[in-house]
Amino acid sequence: MNTKTSSPIFNDSSALRIDIAQLCRELLSKSWLIILFVLLSLLAAVIYLVKTPPTYASRAVIEVDQEPQKVVNSQDRNRDDEDFKSEEELNTIAQSLMSDTLALRVIKANGLDQDPWFAPPKKSGVPYSDSELVGLFHKRLTVTLRRGTRLIDISVQHADPKRAQELTQSMVKEFVDQIFDQKLSVSKEANNFLTHQADTLKAKLHNSEQALQDYREKNHAVSLEDKQNITVEKLKDLNQKVTEARSQRLKLEADVAAIKQGKAKNPEQLLMLPSVADLPVVVALRQELADKESKFKNPEELRGLQESLNSTLLNAANMVVQSYQAAKTTEAKLSAELKDQESAALELDKIAIPYNVLLREVEADRALYDSVLAGMKETNLSQNLGQRFTIRVIASPMVPSSPVKPRKLLILALSLLGGFVVGSALVTGLMMMDSSVREVNQVEELLAVPVLTSIPRSKRKHLDRSPVVSSKPGSYEAEAFRSLRTGLSFLRAERDFKTFLFTSANPGEGKTYCSLNCAAALAQLGLRTLLIDADLRRPTLSKALLTSRKAPGLTACLTGRANLMDCLQTTDTENLFVLGAGERASKPAELLAAGDLVALLNEAKFNFDRIVIDSAPVNAVSDTQLIAKEIDLVFLVIRAAKTSRRSVSAACNHLARATHSPDAVILNRVVRRSRDHYHAARYARSYVTGAGHRKSGKLSKNGSISNGADLY
């Protein structure tokens, strides 16, 4: 019984990765394709250079210089030069050189619409439109602003070098003329506009002045400003007088109330009243009394003067009352007069409001009219043709001596580079799209199982009729199968495996070829080897080795109609026996499942040292899965550069579900002289053939050397 456990399911998780070493090897192997693209690219470049006529370019250099503005308002004359010198404005001037209007002027001025090189006649005979002519001219015009300078390069291309010079000169001339025409047109438009505005403002000013005059006559307000000034002065004077009268009245009012209430009856009390004490006669008597008191010490001498003062004080009470009445009357009159004056001022203000409105309109219209007149003086035709910049030719265009197109060296270099890049990209793309297994390291990375050998591609037409290890023992293929034989002895050396199964993912990958040569290589070691054709659906091995296809074989053994030893057939290789598939089975899978395959294998193990089985492709049918569970070692044959990773992963998954994953892989039909393999090394050919054809010895039919030395 086979006690091996199943391995994990394999997944094709390989992404599109680029191995630099593999890419380099692929580029080297497909170098012929890259060289082909390079040659085709060079051929196309040469054809282009031969058929393309030379094109010449003449160049002129102009300088954009600053000049004072003349058509500006007086407020803008102090504008800094930095605004003009900015890169944006210089770029604007450079872009104006590429305007469609200027291009059309140059075309018409030089008759380029009739130039067959510039405008080849159309097949339909329809003439070119202005937009088409401008588009053709722009393709041959180059305008470049030199960074950090005020210099602009102008270049025009033509097949005739003299014509290229003329076109460049015409370009500069037409640009200057265009600027002149534009400024002249702008100046005329500005002058006409200002004249129209002046007439309009003049009429408006006349109407506003007439309205002001009519209002003055209607309201008798010829000297309204003087009346307002006089009224304001009167109001100020009356207001001050009313304030003073009110203050005087208030000052006397308290003293009069004290007198009327009897609070000031005697001279001493009356003298305490401010209005009485401030009377001039009282002040004079008191001063006189004070002077005499300092001179005369006798009271008798002062008595008459004191009595006169007392009498005056008694009479002063009546004088205060009279002064109060007079102050009150004066205040009333002044207040009435102030009210009248305020009413007059209000009436005057009502008249002044419309008057001021009309006056402001007159002043505004006069200011606008004066500014327009000033602008008309500044924009007269003798001054307004100036501009903010002038164009000066720094380098005049010359007749070119060598063409600028086509640039032969550059085109040839680009064609070389382009061919190499396209060829390399194609090889890289093909490599990335190729999902097949090509190298040993790809197999080991994908399956994590060893690759026992790489079988190089054989040049023989019929690979299955005779083992290559016998027919051509000194070939690369024979050496590869001897390496396989050696690898079997080291694979799981702890056990002596006898049964080997060869299968593949898809048909046509070389499993029959590998199983036949592996069995022959084992037989050359002196091991009795049995080769079983277990591909009951397409028994390729039986057709190649057996003379009779109806001879009893595996089918008869499984059905019990024949014995194993009776069905065996010998081969030209010593110790190698073949068990053919036998007659065709109607249901191969059921036969393998129901037949006594275990007994058959046990009998074969008893009579033979090694048993090699060629089975059906594992992805095509389930026959191999039924056989693999009874086999010691399972080998998966992969055809290099054909079998896809997905097919290999699917085959491994099928085997893993049935019994176990493949024990090893055989990479078949590897391209010769590939730099990835030992067989293609420069010394391999001479080494292998030298070992197989020694002058001192001769290979026998079974692959051994006549002198007995086994170099394999």
Side-chain angles (χ1 to χ4, degrees):
M1 286 295 291
N2 193 336
T3 59
K4 290 184 287 187
T5 59
S6 298
S7 300
I9 303 298
F10 290 88
N11 293 320
D12 183 14
S13 59
S14 58
L16 288 177
R17 295 178 296 175
I18 297 180
D19 186 354
I20 301 300
Q22 179 185 355
L23 176 61
C24 293
R25 291 192 295 269
E26 190 70 18
L27 292 175
L28 289 175
S29 64
K30 296 292 192 301
S31 58
W32 62 271
L33 182 60
I34 300 175
I35 294 174
L36 176 62
F37 273 94
V38 171
L39 293 178
L40 291 176
S41 179
L42 279 176
L43 179 61
V46 171
I47 295 174
Y48 171 79
L49 293 176
V50 170
K51 291 187 175 182
T52 303
T55 302
Y56 297 85
S58 182
R59 181 174 61 91
V61 182
I62 63 174
E63 180 185 8
V64 183
D65 200 5
Q66 176 79 24
E67 278 197 358
Q69 274 190 295
K70 297 180 180 179
V71 189
V72 291
N73 294 330
S74 57
Q75 296 89 335
D76 299 332
R77 290 181 178 176
N78 295 326
R79 182 179 295 179
D80 296 334
D81 292 344
E82 285 74 8
D83 294 338
F84 167 75
K85 294 180 181 179
S86 64
E87 187 175 355
E88 289 78 8
E89 187 160 353
L90 290 173
N91 281 324
T92 302
I93 298 172
Q95 290 299 319
S96 64
L97 284 165
M98 301 190 66
S99 64
D100 295 346
T101 304
L102 178 60
L104 193 59
R105 287 174 65 117
V106 176
I107 293 171
K108 298 299 182 182
N110 295 273
L112 288 177
D113 51 343
Q114 305 299 327
D115 188 346
W117 180 87
F118 177 80
K122 295 182 179 180
K123 294 181 179 180
S124 60
V126 179
Y128 285 89
S129 63
D130 290 344
S131 60
E132 291 175 335
L133 292 173
V134 168
L136 293 175
F137 186 78
H138 281 162
K139 292 180 180 179
R140 294 161 175 82
L141 173 65
T142 303
V143 178
T144 307
L145 172 64
R146 296 187 184 181
R147 184 178 297 276
T149 67
R150 299 193 302 274
L151 301 179
I152 299 177
D153 294 326
I154 304 174
S155 177
V156 182
Q157 300 175 4
H158 199 274
D160 185 3
K162 181 63 177 177
R163 189 69 165 157
Q165 180 197 24
E166 294 173 354
L167 290 175
T168 306
Q169 288 177 340
S170 177
M171 185 72 185
V172 177
K173 177 181 178 299
E174 293 298 331
F175 180 62
V176 175
D177 292 345
Q178 185 187 44
I179 294 175
F180 183 87
D181 294 341
Q182 290 176 351
K183 293 299 180 181
L184 180 61
S185 176
V186 171
S187 299
K188 289 182 178 179
E189 292 178 1
N191 191 54
N192 294 335
F193 174 76
L194 292 176
T195 301
H196 176 71
Q197 290 294 322
D199 295 340
T200 303
L201 291 175
K202 182 178 180 180
K204 186 177 180 181
L205 177 60
H206 175 73
N207 294 334
S208 60
E209 288 179 343
Q210 186 63 42
L212 179 62
Q213 184 63 29
D214 293 342
Y215 185 81
R216 285 176 175 174
E217 293 176 358
K218 179 180 178 181
N219 294 278
H220 304 286
V222 178
S223 57
L224 185 60
E225 293 86 355
D226 296 338
K227 286 184 178 181
Q228 286 180 327
N229 294 334
I230 293 172
T231 301
V232 171
E233 291 296 331
K234 284 184 178 181
L235 284 174
K236 186 187 296 184
D237 185 49
L238 286 174
N239 191 33
Q240 183 177 0
K241 289 181 178 181
V242 169
T243 302
E244 292 177 354
R246 182 178 295 108
S247 176
Q248 183 66 24
R249 178 184 61 81
L250 293 175
K251 183 178 179 182
L252 295 174
E253 189 174 7
D255 294 344
V256 170
I259 293 172
K260 288 182 178 182
Q261 292 176 4
K263 295 181 180 180
K265 296 180 179 180
N266 51 43
E268 291 77 7
Q269 292 176 344
L270 290 172
L271 190 59
M272 295 178 62
L273 298 177
S275 58
V276 175
D278 293 338
L279 289 174
V281 62
V282 176
V283 173
L285 290 175
R286 292 182 66 187
Q287 183 66 34
E288 184 180 359
L289 180 60
D291 293 340
K292 288 184 177 183
E293 285 180 351
S294 60
K295 295 180 179 180
F296 303 103
K297 303 296 184 182
N298 189 357
E300 294 294 336
E301 296 178 357
L302 301 176
R303 184 177 301 165
L305 186 58
Q306 183 67 41
E307 290 177 357
S308 177
L309 177 60
N310 293 336
S311 176
T312 301
L313 290 174
L314 292 175
N315 292 329
N318 295 328
M319 294 174 63
V320 171
V321 173
Q322 292 175 0
S323 298
Y324 171 72
Q325 293 298 332
K328 189 175 180 181
T329 302
T330 301
E331 180 184 2
K333 291 179 178 180
L334 290 175
S335 297
E337 188 176 355
L338 178 62
K339 290 181 179 180
D340 294 339
Q341 193 64 30
E342 288 177 349
S343 299
L346 291 175
E347 292 296 329
L348 188 60
D349 288 340
K350 291 180 181 180
I351 298 174
I353 291 174
Y355 175 81
N356 291 331
V357 172
L358 294 174
L359 183 61
R360 284 193 296 270
E361 289 181 358
V362 171
E363 292 175 351
D365 293 342
R366 183 176 290 110
L368 289 175
Y369 181 67
D370 292 340
S371 64
V372 171
L373 291 179
M376 291 179 63
K377 292 179 181 179
E378 292 183 355
T379 56
N380 59 77
L381 292 178
S382 62
Q383 296 178 352
N384 63 5
L385 296 182
Q387 56 197 47
R388 291 191 62 197
F389 60 89
T390 57
I391 302 299
R392 293 191 299 177
V393 179
I394 301 301
S396 299
M398 296 183 293
V399 179
S401 59
S402 59
V404 294
K405 291 181 180 180
R407 302 174 65 179
K408 297 181 179 180
L409 294 179
L410 179 60
I411 291 176
L412 291 176
L414 290 178
S415 64
L416 283 173
L417 179 61
F420 177 77
V421 171
V422 172
S424 301
L426 179 61
V427 172
T428 304
L430 292 175
M431 185 190 72
M432 295 181 65
M433 290 188 296
D434 186 9
S435 62
S436 63
V437 178
R438 290 175 170 267
E439 303 174 358
V440 173
N441 58 348
Q442 292 179 341
V443 177
E444 294 179 345
E445 181 181 357
L446 178 65
L447 303 180
V449 295
V451 177
L452 290 185
T453 187
S454 298
I455 311 299
R457 181 181 296 175
S458 178
K459 296 182 179 180
R460 295 193 306 159
K461 295 182 179 180
H462 304 286
L463 301 178
D464 299 333
R465 292 186 178 178
S466 62
V468 69
V469 294
S470 300
S471 60
K472 288 189 176 182
S475 62
Y476 294 131
E477 298 93 318
E479 179 62 24
F481 284 110
R482 284 190 285 271
S483 299
L484 172 61
R485 181 184 63 191
T486 305
L488 293 177
S489 62
F490 294 105
L491 190 63
R492 297 186 181 180
E494 66 277 4
R495 291 184 57 187
D496 183 18
F497 296 110
K498 288 188 175 184
T499 56
F500 308 112
L501 175 68
F502 285 82
T503 186
S504 61
N506 305 310
E509 296 187 6
K511 58 179 182 55
T512 301
Y513 171 67
C514 294
S515 60
L516 172 60
N517 283 276
C518 179
L522 291 172
Q524 288 179 353
L525 285 180
L527 299 174
R528 283 176 56 83
T529 305
L530 174 61
L531 178 60
I532 301 176
D533 187 1
D535 190 352
L536 302 181
R537 301 174 189 269
R538 295 179 62 184
T540 307
L541 186 62
S542 299
K543 294 178 182 180
L545 297 180
L546 303 180
T547 57
S548 177
R549 299 180 182 178
K550 296 183 178 180
L554 180 61
T555 304
C557 294
L558 292 177
T559 56
R561 292 185 284 108
N563 188 15
L564 171 64
M565 301 305 294
D566 296 335
C567 298
L568 297 180
Q569 297 187 32
T570 60
T571 64
D572 295 338
T573 303
E574 187 180 357
N575 296 325
L576 179 60
F577 300 87
V578 177
L579 175 62
E583 59 185 5
R584 187 177 184 83
S586 59
K587 297 180 180 180
E590 288 76 2
L591 179 60
L592 291 173
D596 196 0
L597 180 63
V598 177
L600 177 66
L601 292 177
N602 290 333
E603 184 179 357
K605 290 178 183 180
F606 179 78
N607 293 284
F608 295 94
D609 299 321
R610 296 291 184 268
I611 302 169
V612 179
I613 302 174
D614 178 28
S615 63
V618 67
N619 287 343
V621 293
S622 60
D623 300 357
T624 303
Q625 301 178 49
L626 299 173
I627 303 173
K629 59 184 179 180
E630 309 298 339
I631 305 302
D632 294 334
L633 294 178
V634 177
F635 302 120
L636 181 65
V637 178
I638 299 175
R639 181 172 176 177
K642 182 177 181 181
T643 309
S644 65
R645 298 182 180 91
R646 191 177 300 276
S647 298
V648 173
S649 298
C652 293
N653 289 333
H654 290 319
L655 292 174
R657 292 188 185 97
T659 165
H660 57 79
S661 60
D663 297 281
V665 172
I666 299 173
L667 191 60
N668 188 31
R669 300 196 68 179
V670 178
V671 179
R672 289 190 178 187
R673 301 196 181 277
S674 171
R675 291 169 175 79
D676 300 333
H677 304 91
Y678 163 81
H679 300 288
R682 293 185 177 179
Y683 62 86
R685 181 179 181 87
S686 60
Y687 189 84
V688 173
T689 55
H693 298 281
R694 289 179 178 272
K695 294 181 180 180
S696 59
K698 184 178 180 181
L699 281 171
S700 64
K701 187 176 181 179
N702 60 2
S704 60
I705 300 178
S706 58
N707 61 2
D710 186 5
L711 300 180
Y712 306 110

